[in-house]
Amino acid sequence: AQSVTQLDSHVSVSEGTPVLLRCNYSSSYSPSLFWYVQHPNKGLQLLLKYTSAATLVKGINGFEAEFKKSETSFHLTKPSAHMSDAAEYFCVVRTNTGNQFYFGTGTSLTVIP
Amino acid sequence: EAQVTQNPRYLITVTGKKLTVTCSQNMNHEYMSWYRQDPGLGLRQIYYSMNVEVTDKGDVPEGYKVSRKEKRNFPLILESPSPNQTSLYFCASSKRLAGGPGTGELFFGEGSRLTVL
């Protein structure tokens, strides 16, 4: 069985400070992992993906994530938060058969000016 | 422009009145799926389709139907909507890699906000 746990439902940071959004996954196989961002009243946009190549994955808008198999984690980071980063973030795992995607419950990021 | 298009974007209906939410993609993707998003629950998969005429249930299929007669279209049908189906719905598509597990990402539509009174 595969599942995703986002450890924080809300994260608040000051503009210019680092962002850390935590995600743990459960998978019987080496998974495909993704981070998506959702701005208010918008669809979901891909930030980055891990598909068993490099463990440190760089995405759009300065975000990156590190796949740590020993910790079953795929945390999302950004060195310096911008006001435009305020949004909902979802960690997603795709099953090894490719049939299904499992979403975390989301982390709402607030950026304080 | 590569995109997934859903219609309608907003709909208010009454209990029991059949409705269809259309979804179309122009990327020649094999895989398509429907999700509902509810506060505190993230996105949950309703149905998915690996290719034309191949559909399967996701985690929350009760009260929904789908069909995949053409590769580009994947409509979601609510035969008799109920208030607990009030939600934000997303259609998504993905390329399925031939001969192996899919590792491609999902491309999402803009969402359809449905209210059932």
Side-chain angles (χ1 to χ4, degrees), chain A residues 32 34 36 38 41-44 46 49 51 90 94-105, chain B residues 31 35 37 40-43 45 48 50 58-59 90 94-95 101-106 108-110:
Chain A
S32 296
F34 309 86
Y36 282 84
Q38 184 183 29
N41 300 313
K42 293 289 188 183
L44 281 78
L46 180 71
K49 64 180 179 180
T51 56
F90 292 96
R94 183 170 190 171
T95 61
N96 64 303
T97 59
N99 290 358
Q100 291 182 275
F101 291 77
Y102 291 95
F103 287 73
T105 52
Chain B
Y31 182 94
Y35 300 85
Q37 183 178 20
L41 298 177
L43 277 76
Q45 192 171 48
Y48 64 93
M50 299 297 286
D59 296 317
F90 286 100
S94 173
K95 188 167 183 59
T103 57
E105 67 268 29
L106 284 168
F108 283 86
E110 289 282 288

Side-chain angles (χ1 to χ4, degrees), chain A residues 54-76:
Chain A
T55 57
L56 182 62
V57 181
K58 294 189 183 300
I60 62 171
N61 301 333
F63 284 95
E64 62 182 40
E66 186 172 8
F67 173 72
K68 291 186 176 180
K69 188 174 182 178
S70 61
E71 299 176 9
T72 61
S73 69
F74 190 56
H75 301 334
L76 182 70

Side-chain angles (χ1 to χ4, degrees), chain B:
Chain B
E1 180 188 356
Q3 59 186 5
V4 178
T5 304
Q6 298 178 224
N7 280 296
R9 293 288 315 280
Y10 301 90
L11 179 63
I12 299 175
T13 190
V14 296
T15 299
K17 185 176 182 181
K18 181 180 178 180
L19 67 91
T20 300
V21 186
T22 63
C23 174
S24 180
Q25 52 94 3
N26 62 1
M27 295 169 280
N28 201 35
H29 284 167
E30 293 83 6
Y31 182 94
M32 296 185 74
S33 59
W34 277 101
Y35 300 85
R36 61 177 290 173
Q37 183 178 20
D38 302 291
L41 298 177
L43 277 76
R44 294 177 292 167
Q45 192 171 48
I46 302 170
Y47 270 93
Y48 64 93
S49 170
M50 299 297 286
N51 215 324
V52 176
E53 301 292 1
V54 180
T55 63
D56 210 343
K57 297 177 181 179
D59 296 317
V60 289
E62 295 79 18
Y64 305 95
K65 286 176 57 177
V66 293
S67 67
R68 187 91 182 273
K69 293 180 169 45
E70 304 166 283
K71 196 172 187 179
R72 64 182 293 126
N73 295 324
F74 191 46
L76 180 70
I77 303 158
L78 285 72
E79 292 272 1
S80 182
S82 62
N84 65 12
Q85 292 179 295
T86 293
S87 188
L88 179 59
Y89 291 86
F90 286 100
C91 180
S93 70
S94 173
K95 188 167 183 59
R96 184 187 182 201
L97 300 182
T103 57
E105 67 268 29
L106 284 168
F107 293 81
F108 283 86
E110 289 282 288
S112 297
R113 186 168 293 280
L114 171 64
T115 301
V116 183
L117 301 175

